[in-house]
Each structure stands twice: as structure tokens, then as C-alpha cells.
Amino acid sequence: MTLWEDFMFEIKSKDGLGRTGILKTEHGTVRTPALMPVIHPGKQTIDVKGPGAEIVITNAYIIYRNPELRERALSDGVHRLIDFDGPIMTDSGSFQLSEYGDIEVENPEIIRFQDEIGTDIGTSLDIPTPPGVSHRRAIEEVEVTLERARESIEYRERMMLNAVVQGSTHPDLRRYCASRLAELPVELHPIGAVVPLMESYRYRELVDAVLSSVSELPPSRPRHLMGAGHPMLFALAVSMGCDLFDSAAYILYAEDDRLLSTEGTYKLENLQEMPCSCSVCTDYTPSELMGMDREERRNLIAEHNLHVSFAEIRKVRQAIHDGNLMELVEERCRAHPRLLEGYRRMSEYLDLIEKFEPRSKRSAFFYTGPESLGRVEVHRHLKRVKEHLGERLALVAPSRRPYSSSLPARIGGFSSLRPQSGGPWRVVVVDLPFGIIPLELDQVYPLAQSDAPGIMDLDGEEFLRGLVRDLMDGDAIVDDALCSELGIELPYKYMGEVETTVDDLDRVRMVADYQFGMGAGELLFTDDVRIERSRNTGKIRHIYAGDELICTMRASDGLLVLGAEGAVRLHKGTDYPAWRVAVNEESEPFARKGKSVFAKFIIDCDNNIRANDEVLIVNADDELLATGKALLCAEEMMDLNHGQAVKTRKGGF
Ligand code: GUN
């Protein structure tokens, strides 16, 4: 019986490159991101299931080398051997290879052995090339790693297979290795030889190694950051697309009287107070632990270490669900300057991250420091909004920070770079974190769903000054409050006043242009549309053509949800593949009935689709079948074989 042919990984929710998912195995289902405690096959005494382990990892090479363990594993299976009935991953001995320089087994043999002892996920005998070696050595070893991954496919019979990305600290080799492995029929991808980087806090290089690898790995396969077991790092690693971690840290640190936390590591002898509220920390004082015999103390510290590690994994999963993973990353990275450096390095990979970033989220965007300005949401907004601004801008400071749509109806007191006369002016609020907020968009995600401190830091000020300078290259006037706040002096006074009321039709058209691209506003909302407001909030809710619903403006994020008439207009007025998800014949009747679209039925889609976009569901002939909300981005839709890809809102076209 093969397990790997039934391999199943499903993405459940997304935030940037981070995702929650489920991984199904013969021995049970694992929620990802997941932490796999390392189990020593001969000496394990600590319960890992109680604190939260759904999957564990053990070392096949240690079992293979020990006659007694080997005998028992071959007769009873690895699950009985280590007394764990959930999914088990095994490592191959490569780590021993990196530690001791040599091992006594060949790749085919250790692959066959892992299969025979009934592991769920086995690993090929990759070469863990250390950081900083020459390009020549790294590429030679990558070729061996690739060859062994290919060979493992021939030798495995039933288990799922890990194919490890190597390439040392050479991003081009990480990309090369990952892209070759992506072509192979394997199920998971560890990212290897990063332990030395983590041990020496070289997080900037870690970010390069991980993101270069992830950029070429298929989104449908879980990625495992090998040897990462410190909870301080989980949020950052997940935000780079890692789904699995393995921890020997919980026991290794315990042996050394060190307690893990998301802020770093505590040495027991330095503690006056226990650091958390787990049962170990509430039942014992540091001095009571110090007085215990070694083994008892080690087991209790290991219990604490597992507790904080699993608590952090749960927190990360919740943050992805809520859409505030990056706020958590920003908090965690403040624990150590090297972590902050690693996080800052991520801004070099914005194009990659953007492809996976949902277009709207449940949580507001919080500015937690200058790094927030490097986030994808800010870059995406500025790129889009600049296409829509046009000429003759009146740049104003918000009347209140953070910006809320409460400007006076008319504003005076402007200056400019050159003499200005006559209107009309388009009012643009200049504020952190998104910089440029045209009034028409001031209820739209993420502009309205964001917050920044009212007292700006120097980077924030410089960011806004740079934007104002750019905008002044065209015709622009700047209100006196903004000039004084940003320390800008302009030679000419503009004597007129500027109106801040926004026409409803202008508003809905600009939202449509911002959301669906230039021209969508006029396409969807012809001059004869009827705009209805909510009786409770007074905000725009529905836009009709006669009695036909074109769009609803969603209260939670101010974005447009397509009604039947809106879908027909967008479909007629745009060319394939814009905003389309094309499904195969098998799926067509289900989509027409309004049933959700599963990823495996998708034959094509618009590359620009991101999770939470409104999409048109069509067949291979571009006939409109339904509309819905994308749950995945384009790349994921095309690559995944399991789970929902579009939540259909309305079929029946
Ligand atoms: N454990 C920690 N690093 C590695 C690695 O690079 N390869 C394998 N197989 N196991 C590891």
C-alpha cells in the first residue's frame, strides 16, 4: 500500500507567505504550522503528546545502527518502538554526517529501512553543506543531494518523502536546488543546514537561505525548517512560508538548565522568578528546581520548554487566521537585534511575498515601528494608488491622528511650489502608515483598517516628506498643517479653499478602479446606477442598475462584492483571463449551482488573483458560471490539489 499517492496537504488560511493547513497521514491529521519534538529512540522519557505534539520526528540512522533498536523497529514498527501512535517523520543520518563527517550507510539502504520500519515521512541522505563554503563545493554537494533525492524516489515504496534543499549560504544555489527538487514527485521539502546559522544568530543569512528556497518550492508542499526549535523564531520562520519545525531544543536546553521563551533563553541559575504560567512555573520556584536531582530538574524544564513552544505555535496559527501574523513577527523580532536584522532583510523579497499576500484581512494593520513601512501592504498600496491619483492634488494633514474620515467640509490655508489658481482639487490625506489616502478610498482596506501612533518617529516623517516631494512634481498644494508637521517650506500661498465632500459615484468608481484596475469604475457603474446607503451607518451599501444588484460595498473592509449584474458587466467588459478562475467540465455543474470550487478542478486563472479577491468563475470557453471569493492566490490555485480555492457566492449564470 502506498501512502505517498494519497498525500494530502490543504491550505486553510493565509497571511503573507504564512499559512495554516492540514497534513493528512495514515496515522492522523496534523495542523500546520506544527512543531515536531525530536524523540530519541533509545532514551525518551518525556511525554510530548500531552503538551501538544501531533507529529514527532526521530532518527532512523540511530535506530539502524543499534542492533537491538533495529530488531525491534523491524519487527514491531517505529510507532511501537517510540510509543507514539500519531504521524512520525524520520531523519536519515545526514545530521550525523554533518556532525561527524562520515556515516556507515548508503542512501538506498536508509530509504528502504525507513520504509520497512513504517515511518510516515522518510528523508533522503542529503549533504548538509555548512554556511560560508565556496560556491564550487556547495554546488558539488547540491548535485549529490539532488541525485540522492532522485534515487530515493526509486527506492521508497510506501512512505512520503522529504527532499531537502541545500546550497549553503549561496542564494542562487538554494534556488537552483529547490527548483530541481520541485520537479520531482516528492511530498515535503525540508530546508537544511541552517542550524549553524541559527546557533550563531545569523538571521539575515537565514532569511536569504529560506526565502531563496521558498521562492522555488511548490506552495502545495509543506516546508520544514530543519533543526529550528527555538520559539523565538517560529513567527518569523512561518512568515517566510515554513510549515514544520523540529525541536531537540526542548531537551538539549533542559539538560543545560536553560528555559526557552519567545523573548530568548533564561539560565535557571539567573532566575529570581519563573518566567511563565505553565504548571512547572507555577508549581516550583527557581531555587526549588536548583535543589532537585539532575534528571528530575531536566524533565521539568523540558516540560516547560515544550509548553512555551507549543503555546507559540498555537499563537502563530491564530495570528494567521486573524491576519495579524506580521504584527506578531514585529513583536517577536524586537527580542534580539539580529532577529530584527533578519526581519528587515525580508523587505528585499517584497515581490515574492506580494504574490501570496491576501488583498484583505480580518485584522487592522498596526504600525509598530519604521519596519512596518517596509511591509507589502504599504508597497502594494502606493504602487496602485499612484496610478489613480491624476493631477491637481490638495495634500492635507489628517484632522485627527490616526486618520479618520472627519475633515471639515472646506479647508483653506495651502502653499505650493509654483503659483496656482482655480480648482477643482482632489483631496489626498497624507498620513502613516499608508502615506497617501485619496478621500474616495478612505473607507477601504487597508487604509481605514490601520493605526499608527499620533506622534511620529523620524523615519515616518521622512517617509511622508518623500511622498509629498514626489507628489509636488505635479500640480499640488499642501495645507499649512502638513507643511509645519513635516518641516516643508513652500514659496507660494494658495488663496482659495478646497472642498472635502466626495460624490458617491466618484467614490464607488474609484474603489472599483483601485480594486479591479483602471477602467473598472466606469465599466461597473454607468451614470444611471442607483446608490443606496445603510440606514444605520449612513455609508454606501448597495449599487443597483434598476433592480439588479451590481455590487455591495462590504462594511468590514469597504471593498466591493460582486452581485450578478456586476459579474456580468465585469465579464463582458474585460478580456480573458482578467479576474477569471477557469474550471474543468467536471466542476462546471457544481459551480453553476453555487458550490465552492476545489483547487484540483482549476485549469487556469488570472496571475494577478490574490486571496480574498472577488473572482469570476468561468469554463474553458470563458462562459460565466458563477462569482466568488478567492481563498488562495493564483500560484496556489494552479499548484494545489486539495481543498477549496474559491468560495462561490452566486451561481446560476
Ligand atoms: N537536521 C538538521 N539539519 C539537517 C540537514 O541539513 N539535513 C538533514 N537530513 N537533517 C538535518
Side-chain angles (χ1 to χ4, degrees):
M1 182 200 45
T2 61
L3 300 181
W4 60 271
E5 281 171 327
D6 295 329
F7 169 74
M8 216 178 115
F9 177 62
E10 219 176 280
I11 294 177
K12 289 293 193 188
S13 57
K14 290 165 48 59
D15 193 353
L17 280 167
R19 61 259 183 99
T20 63
I22 51 172
L23 170 61
K24 287 204 173 141
T25 77
E26 189 193 19
H27 288 89
T29 297
V30 178
R31 287 170 298 166
T32 63
L35 173 64
M36 305 180 285
V38 175
I39 303 290
H40 193 289
K43 340 187 227 186
Q44 187 75 17
T45 52
I46 290 162
D47 166 46
V48 295
K49 212 166 185 176
E54 292 175 2
I55 177 172
V56 298
I57 180 167
T58 189
N59 193 300
Y61 181 63
I62 295 177
I63 302 172
Y64 177 86
R65 289 276 292 149
N66 177 312
E68 194 220 317
L69 295 176
R70 178 177 168 153
E71 193 68 17
R72 278 174 46 210
L74 285 170
S75 62
D76 302 343
V78 66
H79 291 82
R80 292 271 297 277
L81 178 76
I82 64 168
D83 192 22
F84 187 79
D85 58 7
I88 296 178
M89 179 185 284
T90 43
D91 201 353
S92 54
S94 293
F95 188 65
Q96 282 72 10
L97 181 66
S98 68
E99 291 284 295
Y100 312 117
D102 195 18
I103 51 167
E104 289 168 26
V105 72
E106 301 282 328
N107 186 48
E109 180 60 16
I110 199 72
I111 289 293
R112 267 197 303 256
F113 181 68
Q114 293 176 83
D115 236 337
E116 282 166 15
I117 64 175
T119 190
D120 295 273
I121 305 165
T123 307
S124 58
L125 200 59
D126 55 299
I127 310 274
T129 311
V133 306
S134 70
H135 199 269
R136 176 195 284 245
R137 173 176 161 195
I139 195 163
E140 279 169 13
E141 294 185 356
V142 161
E143 294 299 352
V144 177
T145 291
L146 288 172
E147 195 40 49
R148 290 184 181 171
R150 290 183 198 112
E151 188 180 55
S152 304
I153 296 160
E154 289 167 40
Y155 284 92
R156 66 105 170 250
E157 282 185 5
R158 45 172 293 290
M159 66 186 181
M160 298 191 251
L161 206 52
N162 265 334
V164 188
V165 184
Q166 296 290 351
S168 181
T169 31
H170 299 286
D172 61 321
L173 296 185
R174 290 276 177 185
R175 283 194 297 274
Y176 167 71
C177 186
S179 65
R180 288 287 103 86
L181 293 176
E183 293 161 4
L184 302 180
V186 294
E187 290 71 42
L188 302 94
H189 291 289
I191 297 170
V194 289
V195 170
L197 295 177
M198 296 186 290
E199 280 175 349
S200 49
Y201 285 59
R202 291 160 69 181
Y203 294 121
R204 175 209 286 238
E205 289 159 283
L206 179 73
V207 166
D208 286 335
V210 172
L211 286 176
S212 322
S213 306
V214 165
S215 69
E216 298 294 333
L217 292 175
S220 56
R221 299 180 188 169
R223 303 129 183 175
H224 164 193
L225 192 62
M226 274 194 148
H230 200 302
M232 189 167 81
L233 189 66
F234 293 161
L236 180 69
V238 169
S239 78
M240 295 191 285
C242 298
D243 307 291
L244 296 169
F245 303 95
D246 62 283
S247 175
Y250 75 95
I251 186 73
L252 295 178
Y253 279 58
E255 275 168 2
D256 207 14
D257 288 340
R258 286 186 295 164
L259 287 81
L260 298 175
S261 90
T262 53
E263 301 93 54
T265 309
Y266 299 105
K267 191 98 180 94
L268 181 62
E269 68 196 30
N270 296 331
L271 285 180
Q272 288 288 308
E273 306 286 347
M274 295 301 284
C276 82
S277 53
C278 75
S279 60
V280 175
C281 288
T282 48
D283 288 353
Y284 302 95
T285 64
S287 53
E288 280 168 350
L289 284 175
M290 288 296 282
M292 286 177 186
D293 78 54
R294 214 169 165 268
E295 193 178 326
E296 193 182 2
R297 182 169 69 237
R298 183 203 65 188
N299 287 354
L300 286 169
I301 297 178
E303 195 181 320
H304 158 89
N305 288 345
L306 283 170
H307 173 88
V308 294
S309 302
F310 282 109
E312 180 66 357
I313 290 285
R314 290 194 298 272
K315 188 165 239 175
V316 167
R317 288 201 298 252
Q318 182 70 40
I320 296 171
H321 175 80
D322 291 344
N324 54 23
L325 177 63
M326 296 322 288
E327 278 77 6
L328 181 64
V329 171
E330 293 184 341
E331 193 180 324
R332 293 293 180 251
C333 287
R334 294 215 154 43
H336 196 285
R338 296 278 89 71
L339 268 178
L340 190 57
E341 182 178 311
Y343 174 52
R344 286 181 179 173
R345 183 69 175 177
M346 279 181 71
S347 64
E348 299 288 313
Y349 295 87
L350 287 178
D351 287 345
L352 169 66
I353 302 168
E354 196 282 329
K355 284 198 282 177
F356 293 88
E357 179 73 38
R359 203 91 69 178
S360 169
K361 299 186 199 172
R362 285 172 213 260
S363 290
F365 179 113
F366 282 176
Y367 180 98
T368 68
E371 292 77 24
S372 305
L373 298 175
R375 280 178 55 177
V376 164
E377 292 94 324
V378 176
H379 286 259
R380 178 190 269 168
H381 166 68
L382 289 175
K383 203 164 154 194
R384 289 200 131 196
V385 81
K386 281 178 185 166
E387 294 167 14
H388 303 275
L389 282 177
E391 286 285 290
R392 296 187 68 73
L393 304 178
L395 309 180
V396 305
S399 54
R400 237 179 329 123
R401 286 202 191 276
Y403 172 65
S404 70
S405 7
S406 60
L407 292 172
R410 303 175 70 80
I411 311 179
F414 287 89
S415 311
S416 62
L417 205 53
R418 46 188 91 87
Q420 300 283 352
S421 60
W425 298 93
R426 162 167 272 163
V427 180
V428 172
V429 176
V430 174
D431 194 16
L432 292 178
F434 289 99
I436 300 173
I437 310 169
L439 284 191
E440 293 87 341
L441 297 181
D442 72 356
Q443 284 154 30
V444 170
Y445 181 90
L447 312 179
Q449 295 76 8
S450 67
D451 204 348
I455 300 173
M456 271 192 271
D457 51 58
L458 293 178
D459 296 77
E461 262 181 46
E462 189 49 44
F463 168 74
L464 294 186
R465 234 188 328 266
L467 290 174
V468 169
R469 275 200 208 102
D470 277 357
L471 295 176
M472 280 191 321
D473 283 347
D475 267 353
I477 55 177
V478 186
D479 86 334
D480 293 343
L482 191 58
C483 283
S484 72
E485 187 164 32
L486 300 180
I488 295 173
E489 283 188 26
L490 298 171
Y492 293 95
K493 280 272 166 228
Y494 175 76
M495 301 315 290
E497 286 198 323
V498 168
E499 296 231 12
T500 64
T501 45
V502 177
D503 174 71
D504 281 354
L505 189 56
D506 287 345
R507 181 182 286 274
V508 293
R509 280 182 175 161
M510 184 142 173
V511 173
D513 283 344
Y514 182 73
Q515 186 176 341
F516 294 107
M518 225 34 189
E522 295 208 345
L523 182 74
L524 285 169
F525 308 124
T526 37
D527 289 341
D528 54 352
V529 299
R530 180 162 57 84
I531 297 178
E532 252 184 37
R533 290 173 171 276
S534 152
R535 269 195 226 129
N536 292 337
T537 62
K539 290 187 177 166
I540 296 173
R541 284 316 307 272
H542 302 295
I543 306 123
Y544 293 96
D547 290 333
E548 302 293 328
L549 181 66
I550 305 174
C551 284
T552 301
M553 195 172 252
R554 189 164 44 208
S556 59
D557 62 8
L559 290 167
L560 298 165
V561 176
L562 289 171
E565 177 62 18
V568 169
R569 288 183 179 200
L570 194 65
H571 183 248
K572 267 201 196 133
T574 56
D575 292 330
Y576 184 91
W579 303 108
R580 270 92 157 159
V581 175
V583 298
N584 66 13
E585 279 176 12
E586 197 182 334
S587 175
E588 182 170 334
F590 294 94
R592 280 194 196 275
K593 276 193 225 143
K595 301 264 192 279
S596 286
V597 173
F598 285 80
K600 69 174 166 189
F601 300 119
I602 294 176
I603 49 177
D604 191 17
C605 72
D606 178 356
N607 277 337
N608 291 315
I609 290 173
R610 302 289 178 264
N612 295 340
D613 274 342
E614 290 293 299
V615 294
L616 305 169
I617 302 165
V618 299
N619 63 15
D621 298 325
D622 194 24
E623 284 170 351
L624 183 61
L625 310 175
T627 70
K629 181 174 83 161
L631 302 175
L632 303 173
C633 69
E635 207 165 303
E636 292 161 338
M637 284 191 189
M638 296 311 296
D639 190 47
L640 263 82
N641 274 322
H642 297 282
Q644 287 186 9
V646 183
K647 194 160 178 46
T648 305
R649 292 188 198 286
K650 184 150 186 51
F653 288 96

